[in-house]
Amino acid sequence: MSSNELNDLFERNRGKDRYTQPDFYGIDDLLTEEQLLIRSSVREYVKRDLSPIVEHFAQLSEFPQHIVKELGSIGAFGPQLPAEYGCGGMDYTTYGIIMQELERCDSGIRSTASVQGSLVMYPIFKFGSEEQKRKYLPKLASGEMLGCFGLTEPDHGSNPAGMTTHFIEDGDHIILNGAKMWISNAPFADVAVVWAKNPEGKVQGVIVERGMPGFSTPTTHNKWSLRASATGELVFDQVRIPKSNILPGVVGLKGPLTCLNSARYGIAWGALGAAMDCYDTAKRYSLERQQFNKPIGGFQLQQKKLAEMLTEITKAQLLVWRLGQLMDHGKATPAQISMAKRNNVDIALNIAREARQMLGGMGITGEYPIMRHMMNLESVVTYEGTHDIHLLILGMEITGLNAFE
Ligand code: TGC
Ligand code: FAD
């Protein structure tokens, strides 16, 4: 999109975002001044720079590439990682708050940030060599570089252990072959953290750079969901990569699964943001829209929907606030994270569907964000572990019996 077209969009849509966050139980009282300050500055950025353009990019099914540097400059990439690598040095609650504000605008924009922070920067930070950290983290934090995370394959989604992407050794290089599918950010990524089997059949992380011969990133087209986020494949055809690009700190599936803990945590906060935006939009509409000579918000059936939405939002707020505390103290378990991801995406999807109905015909248009949130959440409920996979992770925690075997 040309800069003239962008300016035109800003002119037309400036000031239209009237979002007010629900806080029925005074949960803001549990946040620090710094957390509240960061939230209001991200919210201001979203209202000023993202809300006016996001619907248009989603309608075009185009990734607003120019926002990568903006997200870097507001500290949305790896805010929970240490400042010595150019990252935010903040706590996990702050990370969650930032994801919530971004997904309040659009799940695809949160995806861009959470893939970069939790699935690209985090593995480099946690499992990378000092040289890898110094080389990549500052550029990823600033948005000078965009990254993606390749775990899922065409035939191995919920069961990544079955992956067939693999490498062999060739002196001080490796040769990588295989393919990854459904990869967020792939078409624009400068680097990919790719999980592949080594010659012993064990999973290892490899940093693959755009431009390496044999590496391509075809775009996935025809999505009805996450249309403002770019999704693609990663194809490796005899890609020759220096051994120094292997993440030395982890061998085995626990490597990628550890990264997923951080990303799923961010999604639990993020999806709640989408839910809050749907609730806030439906509430305002119900007070403005008149039928049968009164605001539709005066009808009991509409009030039931709003009351149930607010109840679910409030429960979900408490869930992520407490999970944030556990994350900050290094005590959160994968099953606790699964519960929050599963619950908060589920309630968000239900709230989006109910809110859509409350707007009647207007609910299906791009004049309001609800239908876009609803379609986005259909991906969010599937990626980072499907709704049912998280139920089975919880079931295993409860019973000690593994349903995957
Ligand atoms: P299993 O045998 O249970 O475990 C293998 C090893 O991993 C360890 N582990 C974990 N470690 C850290 N965190 C976790 N959450 C972990 N879960 C398991 C485990 O202790 C074991 O370690 P070790 O030392 O004994 O080897 O593994 P399994 O093959 O039976 O699979 C379990 C299952 C099904 C839960 C797992 O495969 C799973 O979570 N599947 C879902 C796949 C998934 O979530 N894919 C996400 C792809 S990335 C994505 O969607 C990004 S979207 C981004 C966006 O746009 O926002
Ligand atoms: P499948 O695993 O084939 O599952 C199909 C159905 O079977 C699901 O309902 C599932 O719950 C069910 N099922 C599977 N196993 C069981 C079982 N044992 N018991 C009961 N039911 C089961 N991946 C990445 O690696 N990186 C990314 O950046 C990324 N971004 C994505 C972006 C989008 C827009 C989407 C849609 C996906 C993305 N993914 C990414 C992939 C995502 O993680 C997978 O789609 C997800 O893990 C599910 O895998 P699958 O699609 O192959 O479904």
Side-chain angles (χ1 to χ4, degrees), residues 6 9-11 13-17 40-54 66 70 73-74 104-105:
L6 259 183
L9 273 180
F10 281 121
E11 278 310 309
N13 296 326
R14 184 173 293 135
K16 281 193 183 165
D17 181 349
S40 70
S41 75
V42 178
R43 188 170 299 168
E44 203 178 299
Y45 160 70
V46 166
K47 285 191 172 186
R48 188 188 58 234
D49 292 327
L50 296 183
S51 295
I53 62 164
V54 70
H66 70 276
E70 291 178 7
S73 72
I74 65 156
R104 200 282 293 176
C105 178

Side-chain angles (χ1 to χ4, degrees), residues 115 119 149-154 156-159 181-184 223 225-226 231 379 382-389 392 403-404:
V115 167
L119 297 179
F149 174 88
L151 179 64
T152 306
E153 298 188 350
H156 302 96
S158 297
N159 179 25
M181 193 180 179
W182 294 118
I183 308 304
S184 300
K223 291 181 300 171
S225 178
L226 290 192
T231 314
S379 285
T382 290
Y383 66 34
E384 303 263 6
T386 68
H387 188 68
D388 288 341
I389 290 296
L392 296 176
F404 300 112

Side-chain angles (χ1 to χ4, degrees), residues 280-298:
D280 182 59
T281 304
K283 183 182 98 177
R284 198 173 314 106
Y285 189 85
S286 77
L287 298 175
E288 290 167 359
R289 174 73 174 167
Q290 305 249 343
Q291 287 295 291
F292 301 96
N293 304 316
K294 69 176 196 181
I296 57 167

Side-chain angles (χ1 to χ4, degrees), residues 125-140:
F125 167 69
K126 179 97 180 151
F127 306 124
S129 64
E130 193 55 33
E131 196 189 339
Q132 290 167 343
K133 291 182 210 182
R134 302 246 168 244
K135 179 173 176 190
Y136 295 107
L137 291 180
K139 287 184 180 167
L140 288 161

Side-chain angles (χ1 to χ4, degrees), residues 55 105 277-278 281 365-374:
E55 177 66 30
C105 178
D277 198 41
C278 292
T281 304
T365 72
E367 289 297 304
Y368 296 90
I370 296 175
M371 188 86 175
R372 177 165 45 80
H373 281 310
M374 193 176 105

Side-chain angles (χ1 to χ4, degrees), residues 292-310:
F292 301 96
N293 304 316
K294 69 176 196 181
I296 57 167
F299 297 116
Q300 289 178 5
L301 289 174
Q302 304 299 320
Q303 291 183 2
K304 177 174 185 286
K305 287 189 201 299
L306 289 170
E308 288 177 351
M309 286 180 202
L310 184 59

Side-chain angles (χ1 to χ4, degrees), residues 107 110-112 114-115 119 149 151-152 157-161 182 184 226 229 251-255 257-261 263-264 267 334-335 382-386 389-390 393 396 402 404-405:
S107 301
R110 193 268 310 136
S111 259
T112 300
S114 61
V115 167
L119 297 179
F149 174 88
L151 179 64
T152 306
S158 297
N159 179 25
W182 294 118
S184 300
L226 290 192
S229 155
V251 176
L253 199 59
K254 66 174 178 280
L257 293 178
T258 301
C259 308
L260 291 178
N261 293 334
R264 289 166 175 173
I267 290 177
T382 290
Y383 66 34
E384 303 263 6
T386 68
I389 290 296
H390 287 296
I393 291 171
M396 178 156 55
N402 186 345
F404 300 112
E405 287 173 352

Side-chain angles (χ1 to χ4, degrees), residues 9-205:
L9 273 180
F10 281 121
E11 278 310 309
R12 263 187 286 140
N13 296 326
R14 184 173 293 135
K16 281 193 183 165
D17 181 349
R18 291 189 283 155
Y19 175 66
T20 316
Q21 186 192 305
D23 185 17
F24 195 59
Y25 266 33
I27 291 159
D28 278 4
D29 294 347
L30 301 172
L31 302 179
T32 64
E33 264 182 40
E34 195 191 7
Q35 289 164 347
L36 291 170
L37 199 68
I38 289 167
R39 187 179 70 186
S40 70
S41 75
V42 178
R43 188 170 299 168
E44 203 178 299
Y45 160 70
V46 166
K47 285 191 172 186
R48 188 188 58 234
D49 292 327
L50 296 183
S51 295
I53 62 164
V54 70
E55 177 66 30
H56 194 70
F57 277 89
Q59 294 277 357
L60 292 177
S61 194
E62 211 177 281
F63 174 57
Q65 207 184 343
H66 70 276
I67 70 168
V68 174
K69 285 224 168 79
E70 291 178 7
L71 290 171
S73 72
I74 65 156
F77 294 148
Q80 80 285 19
L81 299 177
E84 63 170 305
Y85 298 111
C87 309
M90 289 181 262
D91 54 36
Y92 263 95
T93 303
T94 307
Y95 170 61
I97 288 168
I98 295 173
M99 295 305 113
Q100 185 162 93
E101 292 304 311
L102 295 179
E103 193 150 2
R104 200 282 293 176
C105 178
D106 190 89
S107 301
I109 288 170
R110 193 268 310 136
S111 259
T112 300
S114 61
V115 167
Q116 180 99 333
S118 281
L119 297 179
V120 180
M121 295 168 69
Y122 178 81
I124 293 173
F125 167 69
K126 179 97 180 151
F127 306 124
S129 64
E130 193 55 33
E131 196 189 339
Q132 290 167 343
K133 291 182 210 182
R134 302 246 168 244
K135 179 173 176 190
Y136 295 107
L137 291 180
K139 287 184 180 167
L140 288 161
S142 67
E144 194 183 324
M145 269 187 169
L146 183 68
C148 67
F149 174 88
L151 179 64
T152 306
E153 298 188 350
D155 293 329
H156 302 96
S158 297
N159 179 25
M163 72 173 70
T164 58
T165 299
H166 65 282
F167 62 83
I168 55 168
E169 297 189 358
D170 181 23
D172 54 1
H173 282 68
I174 56 167
I175 311 284
L176 182 67
N177 278 292
K180 300 287 174 180
M181 193 180 179
W182 294 118
I183 308 304
S184 300
N185 297 352
F188 295 94
D190 303 289
V191 286
V193 169
V194 176
W195 299 93
K197 284 186 175 160
N198 67 17
E200 287 80 50
K202 299 263 191 312
V203 174
Q204 283 198 275

